[in-house]
Amino acid sequence: MTPFFPSWAVLRQRLGERRDLAFLAGFLSVASVEAGAHWLFAVGAFFLAMAFLCLRGSSQQRAEQAAAKAEAGPQKEAPRLSEASAIAVFEALDLPALMMDADGTVLFQNVAANRDFGMLEAGLHVSAKWRSPSILDMMRETVRSGRPNQVEHSEFLPSERVFMVRIAPLALPERAKPLYVMTFRDISELRRIDRMRSDFVANASHELRTPLASLRGFIETLLGPARNDTKAQERFLQIMLEQANRMSRLVDDLLSLSRLELKAHLAPAQTVELAPVLTHVRDSLAPLAAELEVDVRLHLPDDGVEVVGDRDELIQVFENLIENACKYGQEGKVVDVALRKLDNGAEVSVIDKGPGIAPEHVPRLTERFYRVSVADSRSKKGTGLGLAIVKHILTRHRARLIVRSDLGQGTEFTVRF
């Protein structure tokens, strides 16, 4: 409601808008004094004119406000979200989301949640899918306080994933008590990037220290005692080239491993025919096999065998396995590569006739930089990362690596899809 006596700022604005009336009121006041009227009469006449001006301005302002409201039309109330509308919004979300009651019973789960976690039937308690104490405690705290909460949650099967889980109350007009919305935001890539940075620095600094020390030592020798020794220079430069190549292979493998870790939680979606992949790998390794005097023999079924996977990554897997079999099983002279179709998938076995691996080493073969024999690995230009790369690729493909070995009888690496 507009007050009768406006503020001085408003009064000045109205006086400015109605200069004719203000001037007339002042003139009449002065004229009445000149005509012999008492000065109190003049002052009273001036204030009456001012009151008329205020009343006129207030009524005019109210009229303008009423006209503006009429032009805008009737004001609409804010829409109230029904349960059906809330479910439609849930379905449109790209984040996995669940709607629950105060007891933790799941009432609805959207398509993104079905895709990431599998179908959870309505009516089941949320603990049927997530038994994490942190999630259940967070849910109870939100029900008690009515305030949103969030917590970080990790899952390790089929691959490691990290989620920021948030729960918040949802008031609906059809329900006397609020419902609760739980959403899952995948932060796995952020965590992997952080871990990749720290791991890369640690691994690179550890593995590059030895070749860098060798290079520095040979350079100091060439600049000092061997400055004029041509034969020593040739021999040292050859060793320095080998060490530089080793560092290059190591950096390439570390970068490859880091890239694989970033997308370990994303399963491939393409279909790959395995027989052409194995044939391609055998042909690409033919020069190495000939140099080592090893015969790589393929055993392929008549029917095609397809798996869901990434062709380039599967080539990398079988290149690592067959190359290792040629290098470390060189004594046996033969490497057999067999492809078999199974009822629920397929498997590829790479078998050598070499010296085999002691049982205590087998469980650790896929660890980074783990070597059964450091001297043997370096003499064969290994980086200690080949089987770690194989493991990461197969984890992304939801496949398994099975190792069987007996001392003196060779080793068999089997990839089972």
Side-chain angles (χ1 to χ4, degrees):
M1 182 175 179
T2 305
F4 179 77
F5 290 106
S7 65
W8 175 243
V10 175
L11 182 59
R12 279 193 303 173
Q13 180 182 359
R14 291 176 185 168
L15 288 173
E17 293 172 352
R18 303 294 297 175
R19 289 190 183 90
D20 52 351
L21 285 177
F23 177 77
L24 178 61
F27 176 77
L28 289 175
S29 300
V30 174
S32 62
V33 172
E34 290 293 332
H38 196 274
W39 66 271
L40 289 175
F41 175 79
V43 172
F46 179 78
F47 276 104
L48 283 174
M50 291 299 100
F52 172 77
L53 178 60
C54 291
L55 286 172
R56 177 179 176 82
S58 299
S59 60
Q60 183 178 0
Q61 184 179 8
R62 284 194 293 270
E64 290 175 354
Q65 292 175 351
K69 288 183 180 179
E71 185 178 353
Q75 290 188 354
K76 296 181 181 179
E77 292 185 1
R80 305 178 72 186
L81 189 66
S82 66
E83 189 169 339
S85 301
I87 290 176
V89 171
F90 268 43
E91 287 289 15
L93 287 176
D94 189 43
L95 291 175
L98 288 81
M99 187 186 296
M100 306 173 298
D101 62 15
D103 296 330
T105 302
V106 177
L107 304 178
F108 176 74
Q109 178 176 334
N110 70 353
V111 174
N114 294 339
R115 178 194 65 210
D116 286 359
F117 304 117
M119 186 64 185
L120 183 63
E121 295 182 7
L124 292 178
H125 194 270
V126 68
S127 61
K129 184 69 177 178
W130 293 277
R131 298 181 181 274
S132 168
S134 58
I135 290 181
L136 300 178
D137 290 344
M138 175 189 67
M139 183 181 66
R140 285 190 285 267
E141 174 61 22
T142 297
V143 171
R144 184 190 64 80
S145 66
R147 294 193 299 269
N149 281 294
Q150 65 180 21
V151 69
E152 190 173 300
H153 169 68
S154 299
E155 296 198 347
F156 300 96
L157 292 174
S159 63
E160 184 180 0
R161 300 181 71 182
V162 184
F163 295 92
M164 187 61 70
V165 185
R166 185 180 188 274
I167 185 169
L170 174 66
L172 295 175
E174 302 131 52
R175 292 181 174 266
K177 295 182 178 180
L179 298 179
Y180 297 88
V181 178
M182 185 182 291
T183 57
F184 294 78
R185 182 165 58 90
D186 194 339
I187 58 172
S188 305
E189 187 169 350
L190 297 176
R191 293 292 178 267
R192 287 190 180 92
I193 290 173
D194 292 339
R195 191 165 60 237
M196 178 192 71
R197 288 171 182 161
S198 59
D199 287 350
F200 183 86
V201 171
N203 294 331
S205 61
H206 173 73
E207 287 298 316
L208 294 176
R209 187 178 293 114
T210 300
L212 282 173
S214 298
L215 286 174
R216 185 172 60 186
F218 287 125
I219 291 172
E220 290 174 353
T221 304
L222 290 174
L223 291 174
R227 182 187 299 272
N228 299 317
D229 189 340
T230 307
K231 291 183 179 180
Q233 288 178 358
E234 287 185 17
R235 184 163 58 88
F236 290 163
L237 288 172
Q238 183 61 38
I239 297 173
M240 291 169 65
L241 178 60
E242 292 175 0
Q243 294 294 340
N245 289 335
R246 180 187 166 200
M247 285 193 293
S248 178
R249 291 193 301 270
L250 181 61
V251 170
D252 289 343
D253 283 351
L254 282 170
L255 291 174
S256 178
L257 198 55
S258 298
R259 285 192 294 266
L260 289 169
E261 287 179 338
L262 283 177
K263 56 182 180 180
H265 63 290
L266 301 175
Q270 302 170 352
T271 301
V272 180
E273 180 76 41
L274 286 178
V277 168
L278 295 174
T279 302
H280 170 78
V281 172
R282 192 267 314 270
D283 294 342
S284 65
L285 292 176
L288 173 66
E291 180 184 344
L292 298 174
E293 299 180 350
V294 174
D295 182 19
V296 179
R297 303 184 300 197
L298 287 183
H299 307 274
L300 305 177
D302 296 332
D303 299 332
V305 180
E306 291 184 344
V307 295
V308 176
D310 183 295
R311 187 176 186 274
D312 292 337
E313 291 184 3
L314 291 179
I315 287 175
Q316 193 173 5
V317 165
F318 296 121
E319 278 183 346
N320 269 299
L321 294 179
I322 297 174
E323 183 177 345
N324 283 350
C326 292
K327 288 179 177 179
Y328 298 101
Q330 181 181 1
E331 297 175 7
K333 302 298 183 184
V334 173
V335 172
D336 290 304
V337 181
L339 170 62
R340 289 180 291 274
K341 189 172 185 178
L342 307 177
D343 293 337
N344 58 344
E347 69 177 24
V348 178
S349 296
V350 179
I351 308 166
D352 66 61
K353 309 297 183 183
I357 303 169
E360 63 268 20
H361 295 298
V362 171
R364 302 189 60 187
L365 289 176
T366 56
E367 293 181 14
R368 295 184 186 192
F369 302 114
Y370 184 81
R371 298 176 175 92
V372 175
S373 169
V374 175
D376 197 28
S377 174
R378 288 183 177 171
S379 68
K380 299 180 186 303
K381 300 179 181 179
T383 63
L385 291 172
L387 291 179
I389 291 173
V390 167
K391 176 188 174 183
H392 276 76
I393 293 176
L394 295 183
T395 299
R396 180 172 179 252
H397 283 70
R398 312 299 187 251
R400 295 172 57 203
L401 179 65
I402 303 167
V403 184
R404 302 184 184 92
S405 185
D406 294 314
L407 285 174
Q409 298 186 19
T411 304
E412 177 179 351
F413 286 86
T414 300
V415 176
R416 182 169 294 165
F417 297 90

